[in-house]
Structure formats: structure tokens, C-alpha cells
Amino acid sequence: MVKEIPDTLLGMQLFKQGQLARAASHFRRALATDAGNYEALNLLGVISAQLGRQDEAIGLLQRAVAAYPLAPEAHNNLGMALNLAKRHDEAVPVLEKAVSLSPSDAVARNNLGVAHQALGHRELAVACFQRACQLRPDYVEALSNFGAALHMLKRDESAVAVLSRALQVNPRFAQAHSNLAAALLSLDRIDDAVAACERAISLDRGNAEAQAQAGTTFLALGKFEEARRRLGEAVRLAPSNPSFYGKLVSCYTVEPADPHLKAMEQLHARIDELPGDGPTELHFALAKAYTDTGEHQRAFDQLTKGNDLKRRSLQYDEATTLCWLGRIGDIFSPELMRRNAGLGALSAKPVFIVGMMRSGSTLVEQILVSHPAIVGAGERPYLREAYERVRQQMGTELPYPEFMETARQKQLTDIGRAYLTLLENTPLAGEASRITDKMLSNFAMVGLIHLALPNARIIHTCRDPVATCLSAYSKLFTDEQPFTYDLGELGRYYAAYRRLMAHWREVLPAGVMLDVQYESLVDNFEAEARRIVAHCGLDWDEKCLSFYETERAVRTASAAQVRKPIYKSATGRWRPSDDLLAPLLAGLNSMR
């Protein structure tokens, strides 16, 4: 008599062979007779996750964890399913448990990194991916994720190195090619970025993410028709992914009868079914579309909903942030600035562009890099990296700005030299006389810039406060800007920023920092452009007037605007009523 093979064992054999549907039927039969069967719960949960049935997968894997609480595999699989369902905040503690139960499990480390990355915990994500790669040096998915995380932190040279390692392990891994394209684009290696996009798509034509990355690349290059075509293909492949619609409608002006608008409205009818950040992304995409069609109140309603959702997903300690900005002005006193004047590295090469986002900074950068003697480094974290490097060498725990109370000539010079080394290694730097650094948040470090690099020039871009804040409020930023998603917090942050900029004007020597008002630049373009170039110590060049013809990658939300001649429509846009803006206006009033 032949002994019958148990359903659990048959299911495991079929699972190993990749026969998922047949394996699932055996696991279901096993659970019908033993509802707590760990192997059946765990593997049926994995199958359900692979088939896209995330709610079912999560339920099964929760039961598996309950049946065997010390099984790291079950915790890892549950965390993976939660990630796939975009429930990343729930995934983190589950995956932390998996890692604690099995510290050498590279897969669990990678999945934990995915959760942290999705939640904006970028340094934690990098640490997880890095550890996963140390545990398994040939783990191509972790290498790809590690490279993407480094790119998000603007550490693009390191990102390219890691992603190149991933492609040495598996040259046919499409996602690594797509991630590599993003990092190469940030380094202005434009031809290489386009080639990486095309390679990703050739390997996986059904990969919507690769199509979207190609569209994003062409958008940055000002090739709007090609960007629209690629992003349209991403939408076709993944019509329920709101992030693709958001990128697509940024390429062109939406008309009322646009089929993509209709598709977004249909998606909005079931917005509660969208996972993760999907509802937030859809609100912002619809807001842009309704702005284009002139339905301003509907646009603002969508913005309010999208910003509210985004703000609830972020951790932002407003009191600590505003206190920190205030301390900077207190520590960089006139006496400290006089005591340390002229002590840093003396190069005149850096040109810092600082200020608030949406204040005209990309336009100023584009004018400057149209000059033959100037190249643009984009937004680089080099100043903070240089400062941190010197602080670590000193062995001090004092943070910025308190560090400055103990810094002496050597430290200031070392910060300047470390910064210059990073800047001059930027791709395209070559023999340029000037290199722009458009890390806008450096407005908080203007005093340090002058003390570490006394011959550097600083350009502060500014714009009408309400216009600046409303423009920021209308954007779902790639980089986390947690203060921009609540009108009151945005107004109070802006007021603190303006107070600090007023302090810098008082303590900096004349000629170091130039204020450029966006409205004046638009109204008196040539005169203002000449003033900007002269501030950098260079002779005028007529190419700066044709800034929109300069071929380079522009990766900010202003990518479309700087491909056109100067236009004045941005200075007279629709403005919500004061009652809707009351929290913002109250915050801005604290500037006085």
C-alpha cells in the first residue's frame, strides 16, 4: 500500500518547483485540517504576496508569526508583505524583530531598508542596505537599493560605484540600470544616464518604473515630448500608480478634455483603495491638472488634502527647528565674525546660491551656468560633509552651530579645503573659474561659508513671501521638506529664515552676499543678470541672456520654466482668499 504524501509536504515540493497555484491548493487543504500549520501559513502567505493579494498574505503571515513567534523567516515574510502593501510604518517593527532573531539575514536587512527608505528615514535605510551588502556581497537587489538610497542622499559618486557593482553581479538587472540612470543624471553624465535608461527598458519593457525614470531623465534635459511619451507609457503599464500621473502632467499643460485627467478623476473615485502614498500623490497630481485647466478652487482643495496627508506621515519637531535657526544668529555674533575674518581657504571658485525653494534659484543658476566660465554642481551636500569631516577629526560632539564657538583658524581652513576638494571633483568642473552650489538650505550656514571660504560669493534668491510659500505648498518634494506641508508651519519657518537672512546682512562684509529679488529679475532681466554675473567677479557674456538654450540637466520642479525665455505669468497667479491663507499669513506676520 502506497503511503499518501501529506499536503504540506506536497505543497513545499511544488513551491520549490515554482508551481505556485498547485502548491497553494495543497497548503489550503492542509490548513483546512490544521489551522495553525506554520509551514502552510508561511508559504501560502508568500505565494499570496507574490500574486499581489497583499491583504490575504498579511493575514496568513500574521497567523504564521502567532503560531511560531521565534521564526525569523515568518517575521521577514510578513514585513515584506507589509512593504508590498505600502504599510511601511507597520513593516519596520516586524522587520526589526526578524533582524534581531537572525542578525546575519541579509534579506531581512534589505527589507528593513526598503521600509525605512519609503518612510524617509534615509540614513537608516543606507545603514540597512550597506549591512545587507556586507553580509552578502553578491546580493544584487540590496546593492541596487543601496545605490538608490545613496542617490537620495545626493551621494551620487558613491551611488554610481555601488550600482556598477550591482551590474557586475547581474548585468541584466533592469532596476539597477534605472537607479544608475538617476545617479548619473545628478552628476550631469547625461549621455550615460540616457543609455542606462534605454538599457533598463530593453531588458524589461514592461517595467513601468524604468519607463518613468526615462521620462524623468528626458524631462530634466528639456526634451518634453519624449518625456511625455515615456511617462505616458509608464501610466499605460501601471494605470493605478498616481506618482506616474504626477510626473506626466508636469511635462505639459493639461486641457479639460485630457484623457489622463479623466483617468485621474476615475482613480480619485476609489482613492481610499490606493496603498501607501498613493492618495497623497494623486491629490498633488490633480491639483496641478486643475491649475492648468483654471479650476483654481478645486486645485487648492486637492492641495489641502494632499498636504494634510503628507504632513501626517512625517515627523517634524517645529519647536526644535525654529530654536536651532535662532541659535545660529546668536552664535554668529558680530564679534565672532570679526574675530575669525579672513582665516579660511582663499579660493574664489565657489558661488553659493541659497534661499527658500521656489524663489527663483533655478533661474539664477541657469543664467550663471550659461556663462562659459561657470559650471553648475547642482545641489550638493558638500559643505555639511566638509564640516562633519573636520568635526570628527577634532573629536568633538558639539553640533552646528555650537561647534563654531570653539573653531579656530585651522578648523575653518580645513573645512574650506575639504569643501573645495569635494567641489572640484564634481563632474564637468574642469578648469571652470566658478562653480555654483545650489544647496538652498546652506542659508543656515552663510556665516560658516564666509569664515571657511572668505572669497566665495553668495547669492540669496528671494521672492514675495506668500508667492514663495504657496509655490512650495503646491509641490510634493522628492527631498523631505517637512515644514512645507502645513501652512502655519510653513509661514513660521519662512519668518525664521528671513530673520536669519537679515542677521547675515548685518554681520557680513559688503560685497559678499547679493540679494536677488525674483520679481525684479523678471521685470528687469538684463540689468539684473548683469548684476548677478558681476557679483561673481566675471565679465559679462551675452550667452547669459539665452539661458533657456543652455543644454544641461535641470532636476528641480522648475525644469520646464528655465527652458523658456523670461515670462511674467508666475508673478500674477491666482491666490486663495485670506481666510484660507490665515495660518500662513499669521506665521509670516512673525517676521515683523
Side-chain angles (χ1 to χ4, degrees):
M1 181 176 178
V2 178
K3 188 174 180 180
E4 186 175 347
I5 301 176
D7 280 302
T8 302
L9 185 56
L10 274 172
M12 293 171 70
Q13 292 173 348
L14 292 166
F15 179 82
K16 290 177 181 178
Q17 295 167 11
Q19 299 184 52
L20 301 186
R22 291 182 62 196
S25 66
H26 284 285
F27 289 137
R28 292 187 194 281
R29 282 213 295 265
L31 290 171
T33 58
D34 179 7
N37 184 320
Y38 167 75
E39 288 82 1
L41 288 167
N42 184 44
L43 291 178
L44 182 58
V46 171
I47 291 171
S48 297
Q50 291 177 353
L51 296 176
R53 299 196 290 264
Q54 302 309 331
D55 289 342
E56 179 184 51
I58 290 166
L60 289 163
L61 290 162
Q62 285 172 334
R63 288 165 59 191
V65 167
Y68 198 169
L70 297 180
E73 183 182 27
H75 286 87
N76 179 51
N77 290 338
L78 175 56
M80 174 196 67
L82 288 165
N83 273 342
L84 290 171
K86 309 292 186 183
R87 292 162 59 178
H88 304 292
D89 54 339
E90 298 174 59
V92 167
V94 174
L95 290 163
E96 286 176 339
K97 181 66 173 177
V99 167
S100 70
L101 290 168
S102 181
S104 62
D105 187 345
V107 175
R109 297 269 183 183
N110 178 66
N111 287 335
L112 180 56
V114 169
H116 280 308
Q117 183 76 349
L119 292 169
H121 308 157
R122 292 177 179 165
E123 294 289 356
L124 290 173
V126 163
C128 289
F129 295 137
Q130 185 173 31
R131 183 59 182 149
C133 295
Q134 290 168 345
L135 292 166
R136 271 181 55 186
D138 62 346
Y139 189 0
V140 68
E141 290 85 358
L143 285 165
S144 181
N145 289 336
F146 185 20
L150 289 168
H151 164 63
M152 294 302 292
L153 287 173
K154 303 185 186 299
R155 292 157 58 182
D156 290 297
E157 295 90 346
S158 298
V160 168
V162 169
L163 290 161
S164 298
R165 261 173 47 212
L167 292 169
Q168 288 173 353
V169 174
N170 182 358
R172 300 187 61 79
F173 191 53
Q175 190 59 52
H177 284 286
S178 183
N179 291 341
L180 178 61
L184 290 168
L185 184 65
S186 288
L187 294 172
D188 282 324
R189 293 173 55 181
I190 295 171
D191 292 341
D192 291 338
V194 172
C197 284
E198 300 296 3
R199 180 60 173 155
I201 292 169
S202 70
L203 290 168
D204 185 1
R205 293 198 174 276
N207 188 326
E209 290 283 353
Q211 292 283 2
Q213 179 57 53
T216 301
T217 300
F218 286 114
L219 177 61
L221 298 177
K223 299 181 178 180
F224 300 113
E225 287 303 316
E226 185 62 14
R228 184 174 176 178
R229 186 177 75 81
R230 299 301 183 100
L231 287 162
E233 181 63 10
V235 165
R236 187 189 70 79
L237 291 167
S240 295
N241 189 323
S243 71
F244 297 157
Y245 286 103
K247 293 172 183 175
L248 175 60
V249 297
S250 71
C251 296
Y252 67 101
T253 301
V254 177
E255 299 291 339
D258 192 314
H260 290 120
L261 174 56
K262 302 303 179 188
M264 286 191 288
E265 290 175 332
Q266 291 171 359
L267 197 56
H268 186 268
R270 53 186 182 87
I271 194 168
D272 291 340
E273 301 173 15
L274 297 177
D277 293 332
T280 303
E281 293 166 339
L282 183 58
H283 285 308
F284 275 90
L286 278 169
K288 197 280 181 181
Y290 287 141
T291 298
D292 287 351
T293 60
E295 299 174 88
H296 297 296
Q297 190 58 57
R298 294 182 76 182
F300 192 73
D301 289 344
Q302 291 294 324
L303 278 182
T304 300
K305 292 173 182 176
N307 277 287
D308 286 348
L309 284 176
K310 181 65 175 179
R311 179 63 187 89
R312 289 202 294 270
S313 74
L314 297 172
Q315 294 180 344
Y316 171 53
D317 187 336
E318 182 185 25
T320 298
T321 299
L322 299 185
C323 180
W324 177 72
L325 289 172
R327 287 203 316 275
I328 294 171
D330 292 339
I331 286 175
F332 281 89
S333 64
E335 193 279 328
L336 181 141
M337 296 295 289
R338 283 193 298 271
R339 185 175 71 238
N340 294 295
L343 300 182
L346 300 180
S347 171
K349 187 169 287 190
V351 177
F352 292 87
I353 302 172
V354 304
M356 285 284 285
M357 69 291 292
R358 315 301 297 152
S359 63
S361 59
T362 302
L363 174 57
V364 169
E365 178 192 43
Q366 189 76 354
I367 292 167
L368 287 172
V369 300
S370 299
H371 194 291
I374 305 176
V375 299
E379 300 178 12
R380 294 291 159 197
Y382 294 158
L383 183 62
R384 190 168 297 276
E385 288 180 17
Y387 150 72
E388 288 292 345
R389 184 180 302 175
V390 172
R391 189 170 73 94
Q392 290 172 11
Q393 289 171 354
M394 289 178 64
T396 179
E397 296 296 321
L398 285 174
Y400 180 85
E402 284 76 13
F403 164 83
M404 292 302 301
E405 293 181 308
T406 61
R408 296 294 180 264
Q409 178 174 0
K410 182 181 187 310
Q411 285 80 51
L412 293 171
T413 303
D414 286 349
I415 291 171
R417 288 174 177 168
Y419 174 83
L420 289 169
T421 298
L422 291 165
L423 188 71
E424 290 169 352
N425 285 333
T426 300
L428 306 181
E431 299 300 318
S433 297
R434 302 287 186 272
I435 305 175
T436 64
D437 179 341
K438 199 177 78 73
M439 180 61 78
L440 294 179
S441 59
N442 281 338
F443 80 81
M445 305 180 86
V446 163
L448 174 59
I449 290 171
H450 180 61
L451 297 180
L453 295 154
N455 292 330
R457 288 295 168 261
I458 301 165
I459 298 174
H460 169 222
T461 61
C462 41
R463 182 183 175 191
D464 174 79
V466 173
T468 301
C469 292
L470 280 178
S471 187
Y473 191 67
S474 73
K475 301 300 178 185
L476 184 58
F477 290 99
T478 303
D479 293 334
E480 293 301 341
Q481 305 286 356
F483 56 88
T484 65
Y485 301 107
D486 176 274
L487 286 174
E489 291 173 343
L490 179 52
R492 291 186 290 274
Y493 184 93
Y494 187 94
Y497 138 77
R498 284 291 289 264
R499 284 193 293 271
L500 183 55
M501 294 311 302
H503 174 76
W504 295 136
R505 290 188 202 97
E506 291 179 1
V507 300
L508 289 177
V512 171
M513 183 172 74
L514 178 73
D515 290 310
V516 176
Q517 189 71 32
Y518 175 73
E519 291 83 359
S520 297
L521 179 58
V522 170
D523 288 340
N524 305 287
F525 178 69
E526 182 171 348
E528 288 293 298
R530 286 179 176 274
R531 192 168 72 99
I532 291 166
V533 171
H535 178 69
C536 299
L538 296 173
D539 293 333
W540 173 248
D541 192 286
E542 292 294 321
K543 293 185 180 68
C544 296
L545 295 178
S546 306
F547 64 89
Y548 48 88
E549 297 177 352
T550 300
E551 294 188 4
R552 60 185 288 266
V554 179
R555 292 170 292 279
T556 72
S558 303
Q561 290 95 318
V562 297
R563 302 297 183 185
K564 305 173 185 176
I566 283 293
Y567 65 100
K568 300 185 180 182
S569 59
T571 62
R573 289 177 174 167
W574 179 83
R575 169 175 162 163
S577 61
D578 283 359
D579 60 322
L580 291 175
L581 296 182
L584 173 64
L585 298 175
L588 292 175
N589 281 338
S590 64
M591 285 191 297
R592 302 192 180 109

Short mmCIF file of all heavy atoms in Angstrom, two decimals, residues 441-476:
data_model
loop_
_atom_site.label_atom_id
_atom_site.label_comp_id
_atom_site.label_asym_id
_atom_site.label_seq_id
_atom_site.Cartn_x
_atom_site.Cartn_y
_atom_site.Cartn_z
N SER A 441 19.46 75.03 1.39
CA SER A 441 19.47 75.02 2.85
C SER A 441 20.76 75.55 3.44
O SER A 441 20.85 75.77 4.66
CB SER A 441 19.21 73.61 3.37
OG SER A 441 20.19 72.70 2.90
N ASN A 442 21.77 75.78 2.60
CA ASN A 442 23.00 76.41 3.10
C ASN A 442 22.75 77.83 3.60
O ASN A 442 23.67 78.46 4.14
CB ASN A 442 24.07 76.44 2.00
CG ASN A 442 24.77 75.10 1.83
OD1 ASN A 442 24.79 74.28 2.75
ND2 ASN A 442 25.35 74.88 0.66
N PHE A 443 21.51 78.34 3.46
CA PHE A 443 21.24 79.66 4.04
C PHE A 443 21.50 79.65 5.54
O PHE A 443 21.84 80.69 6.13
CB PHE A 443 19.80 80.11 3.74
CG PHE A 443 18.75 79.50 4.64
CD1 PHE A 443 18.51 80.00 5.90
CD2 PHE A 443 18.00 78.42 4.21
CE1 PHE A 443 17.54 79.45 6.73
CE2 PHE A 443 17.02 77.86 5.03
CZ PHE A 443 16.80 78.37 6.30
N ALA A 444 21.38 78.48 6.15
CA ALA A 444 21.63 78.38 7.59
C ALA A 444 23.12 78.38 7.91
O ALA A 444 23.51 78.48 9.08
CB ALA A 444 20.97 77.12 8.15
N MET A 445 23.98 78.28 6.89
CA MET A 445 25.42 78.19 7.11
C MET A 445 26.18 79.31 6.42
O MET A 445 27.38 79.20 6.16
CB MET A 445 25.92 76.81 6.64
CG MET A 445 25.17 75.65 7.29
SD MET A 445 25.73 74.02 6.76
CE MET A 445 27.08 73.75 7.90
N VAL A 446 25.49 80.39 6.12
CA VAL A 446 26.13 81.50 5.41
C VAL A 446 27.34 82.04 6.19
O VAL A 446 28.39 82.33 5.61
CB VAL A 446 25.10 82.62 5.15
CG1 VAL A 446 25.79 83.93 4.80
CG2 VAL A 446 24.17 82.21 4.02
N GLY A 447 27.22 82.16 7.50
CA GLY A 447 28.36 82.64 8.29
C GLY A 447 29.55 81.70 8.20
O GLY A 447 30.70 82.15 8.06
N LEU A 448 29.28 80.40 8.25
CA LEU A 448 30.36 79.42 8.11
C LEU A 448 30.97 79.50 6.72
O LEU A 448 32.19 79.40 6.56
CB LEU A 448 29.82 78.01 8.37
CG LEU A 448 30.79 76.86 8.12
CD1 LEU A 448 32.04 77.00 8.98
CD2 LEU A 448 30.11 75.52 8.38
N ILE A 449 30.15 79.67 5.69
CA ILE A 449 30.68 79.80 4.33
C ILE A 449 31.70 80.94 4.27
O ILE A 449 32.81 80.77 3.75
CB ILE A 449 29.53 80.07 3.33
CG1 ILE A 449 28.65 78.83 3.15
CG2 ILE A 449 30.09 80.51 1.97
CD1 ILE A 449 27.38 79.09 2.35
N HIS A 450 31.33 82.08 4.83
CA HIS A 450 32.23 83.23 4.73
C HIS A 450 33.52 83.03 5.53
O HIS A 450 34.60 83.43 5.09
CB HIS A 450 31.53 84.51 5.18
CG HIS A 450 32.42 85.71 5.10
ND1 HIS A 450 32.95 86.15 3.91
CD2 HIS A 450 32.91 86.54 6.07
CE1 HIS A 450 33.72 87.21 4.13
NE2 HIS A 450 33.71 87.47 5.43
N LEU A 451 33.42 82.39 6.70
CA LEU A 451 34.62 82.20 7.52
C LEU A 451 35.53 81.12 6.95
O LEU A 451 36.75 81.22 7.03
CB LEU A 451 34.22 81.86 8.95
CG LEU A 451 33.44 82.96 9.69
CD1 LEU A 451 33.11 82.51 11.10
CD2 LEU A 451 34.24 84.28 9.71
N ALA A 452 34.94 80.06 6.35
CA ALA A 452 35.75 78.98 5.79
C ALA A 452 36.23 79.29 4.38
O ALA A 452 37.27 78.80 3.95
CB ALA A 452 34.94 77.67 5.79
N LEU A 453 35.47 80.13 3.65
CA LEU A 453 35.79 80.46 2.25
C LEU A 453 35.54 81.95 2.04
O LEU A 453 34.58 82.36 1.39
CB LEU A 453 34.91 79.63 1.30
CG LEU A 453 35.14 78.12 1.34
CD1 LEU A 453 33.88 77.37 0.90
CD2 LEU A 453 36.33 77.76 0.44
N PRO A 454 36.39 82.80 2.59
CA PRO A 454 36.11 84.25 2.60
C PRO A 454 36.00 84.89 1.23
O PRO A 454 35.40 85.96 1.11
CB PRO A 454 37.28 84.83 3.40
CG PRO A 454 38.35 83.79 3.37
CD PRO A 454 37.64 82.47 3.30
N ASN A 455 36.56 84.26 0.19
CA ASN A 455 36.48 84.84 -1.15
C ASN A 455 35.33 84.26 -1.98
O ASN A 455 35.13 84.65 -3.13
CB ASN A 455 37.80 84.65 -1.91
CG ASN A 455 38.91 85.48 -1.30
OD1 ASN A 455 38.66 86.55 -0.74
ND2 ASN A 455 40.14 85.00 -1.39
N ALA A 456 34.61 83.30 -1.42
CA ALA A 456 33.44 82.76 -2.11
C ALA A 456 32.36 83.83 -2.19
O ALA A 456 32.29 84.73 -1.34
CB ALA A 456 32.91 81.53 -1.38
N ARG A 457 31.51 83.72 -3.18
CA ARG A 457 30.39 84.65 -3.31
C ARG A 457 29.08 83.91 -3.03
O ARG A 457 28.95 82.73 -3.35
CB ARG A 457 30.37 85.29 -4.70
CG ARG A 457 31.50 86.32 -4.88
CD ARG A 457 31.28 87.49 -3.93
NE ARG A 457 32.44 88.39 -3.83
CZ ARG A 457 33.34 88.37 -2.85
NH1 ARG A 457 33.23 87.46 -1.88
NH2 ARG A 457 34.33 89.22 -2.81
N ILE A 458 28.14 84.63 -2.44
CA ILE A 458 26.86 84.08 -2.03
C ILE A 458 25.76 84.86 -2.73
O ILE A 458 25.80 86.11 -2.75
CB ILE A 458 26.68 84.16 -0.50
CG1 ILE A 458 27.81 83.39 0.21
CG2 ILE A 458 25.31 83.60 -0.08
CD1 ILE A 458 27.93 83.72 1.69
N ILE A 459 24.81 84.15 -3.32
CA ILE A 459 23.65 84.78 -3.95
C ILE A 459 22.41 84.28 -3.22
O ILE A 459 22.16 83.07 -3.16
CB ILE A 459 23.57 84.47 -5.45
CG1 ILE A 459 24.81 85.03 -6.17
CG2 ILE A 459 22.29 85.03 -6.05
CD1 ILE A 459 24.89 84.65 -7.63
N HIS A 460 21.66 85.20 -2.68
CA HIS A 460 20.43 84.87 -1.96
C HIS A 460 19.25 85.20 -2.85
O HIS A 460 19.00 86.36 -3.18
CB HIS A 460 20.36 85.67 -0.65
CG HIS A 460 19.03 85.59 0.01
ND1 HIS A 460 18.41 86.69 0.58
CD2 HIS A 460 18.17 84.55 0.20
CE1 HIS A 460 17.25 86.33 1.10
NE2 HIS A 460 17.08 85.04 0.87
N THR A 461 18.51 84.18 -3.28
CA THR A 461 17.33 84.41 -4.11
C THR A 461 16.11 84.53 -3.22
O THR A 461 15.92 83.75 -2.28
CB THR A 461 17.13 83.27 -5.12
OG1 THR A 461 16.93 82.03 -4.43
CG2 THR A 461 18.32 83.14 -6.05
N CYS A 462 15.29 85.53 -3.50
CA CYS A 462 14.08 85.74 -2.71
C CYS A 462 12.94 86.18 -3.62
O CYS A 462 13.15 86.63 -4.74
CB CYS A 462 14.31 86.74 -1.58
SG CYS A 462 15.32 88.17 -2.02
N ARG A 463 11.74 86.02 -3.08
CA ARG A 463 10.52 86.26 -3.86
C ARG A 463 9.44 86.68 -2.87
O ARG A 463 9.60 86.48 -1.65
CB ARG A 463 10.15 84.96 -4.59
CG ARG A 463 8.94 84.99 -5.48
CD ARG A 463 8.74 83.59 -6.03
NE ARG A 463 7.53 83.45 -6.83
CZ ARG A 463 7.04 82.30 -7.23
NH1 ARG A 463 7.67 81.17 -6.90
NH2 ARG A 463 5.94 82.24 -7.94
N ASP A 464 8.36 87.24 -3.34
CA ASP A 464 7.26 87.59 -2.46
C ASP A 464 6.97 86.43 -1.51
O ASP A 464 6.84 85.28 -1.94
CB ASP A 464 6.01 87.88 -3.31
CG ASP A 464 4.79 88.10 -2.44
OD1 ASP A 464 4.64 89.19 -1.88
OD2 ASP A 464 4.00 87.13 -2.29
N PRO A 465 6.88 86.68 -0.20
CA PRO A 465 6.73 85.60 0.78
C PRO A 465 5.52 84.71 0.54
O PRO A 465 5.63 83.47 0.60
CB PRO A 465 6.63 86.34 2.11
CG PRO A 465 7.33 87.63 1.90
CD PRO A 465 7.07 87.99 0.48
N VAL A 466 4.37 85.29 0.26
CA VAL A 466 3.17 84.47 0.04
C VAL A 466 3.33 83.64 -1.23
O VAL A 466 3.01 82.44 -1.26
CB VAL A 466 1.90 85.35 -0.04
CG1 VAL A 466 0.69 84.51 -0.43
CG2 VAL A 466 1.65 86.03 1.31
N ALA A 467 3.86 84.25 -2.29
CA ALA A 467 4.06 83.51 -3.53
C ALA A 467 5.04 82.35 -3.33
O ALA A 467 4.82 81.24 -3.83
CB ALA A 467 4.56 84.45 -4.63
N THR A 468 6.12 82.62 -2.61
CA THR A 468 7.10 81.57 -2.33
C THR A 468 6.46 80.41 -1.58
O THR A 468 6.61 79.25 -1.95
CB THR A 468 8.26 82.13 -1.49
OG1 THR A 468 8.88 83.19 -2.19
CG2 THR A 468 9.30 81.05 -1.20
N CYS A 469 5.74 80.74 -0.54
CA CYS A 469 5.15 79.69 0.31
C CYS A 469 4.07 78.91 -0.43
O CYS A 469 3.99 77.68 -0.31
CB CYS A 469 4.62 80.29 1.59
SG CYS A 469 5.91 80.93 2.68
N LEU A 470 3.22 79.61 -1.19
CA LEU A 470 2.18 78.90 -1.94
C LEU A 470 2.78 77.99 -3.00
O LEU A 470 2.28 76.89 -3.23
CB LEU A 470 1.23 79.91 -2.59
CG LEU A 470 0.18 80.52 -1.67
CD1 LEU A 470 -0.67 81.54 -2.44
CD2 LEU A 470 -0.72 79.44 -1.09
N SER A 471 3.84 78.45 -3.63
CA SER A 471 4.50 77.61 -4.63
C SER A 471 5.10 76.36 -3.98
O SER A 471 5.01 75.26 -4.51
CB SER A 471 5.58 78.40 -5.36
OG SER A 471 6.11 77.67 -6.44
N ALA A 472 5.72 76.53 -2.80
CA ALA A 472 6.26 75.38 -2.07
C ALA A 472 5.14 74.45 -1.64
O ALA A 472 5.27 73.22 -1.71
CB ALA A 472 7.05 75.86 -0.85
N TYR A 473 4.03 75.02 -1.21
CA TYR A 473 2.87 74.23 -0.75
C TYR A 473 2.28 73.40 -1.89
O TYR A 473 1.63 72.39 -1.65
CB TYR A 473 1.83 75.19 -0.19
CG TYR A 473 0.68 74.56 0.57
CD1 TYR A 473 0.88 73.92 1.79
CD2 TYR A 473 -0.62 74.64 0.08
CE1 TYR A 473 -0.19 73.37 2.50
CE2 TYR A 473 -1.69 74.11 0.77
CZ TYR A 473 -1.47 73.47 1.98
OH TYR A 473 -2.53 72.93 2.67
N SER A 474 2.52 73.84 -3.12
CA SER A 474 1.93 73.15 -4.28
C SER A 474 2.77 71.98 -4.76
O SER A 474 2.38 71.28 -5.69
CB SER A 474 1.74 74.13 -5.44
OG SER A 474 2.99 74.47 -6.03
N LYS A 475 3.93 71.75 -4.13
CA LYS A 475 4.85 70.72 -4.62
C LYS A 475 4.99 69.57 -3.62
O LYS A 475 5.09 69.79 -2.42
CB LYS A 475 6.24 71.33 -4.88
CG LYS A 475 6.25 72.45 -5.89
CD LYS A 475 5.75 72.02 -7.25
CE LYS A 475 5.74 73.18 -8.23
NZ LYS A 475 5.13 72.79 -9.54
N LEU A 476 5.01 68.38 -4.18
CA LEU A 476 5.33 67.18 -3.40
C LEU A 476 6.81 66.91 -3.64
O LEU A 476 7.20 66.36 -4.65
CB LEU A 476 4.48 66.00 -3.85
CG LEU A 476 4.61 64.69 -3.08
CD1 LEU A 476 4.30 64.89 -1.61
CD2 LEU A 476 3.70 63.63 -3.67
#
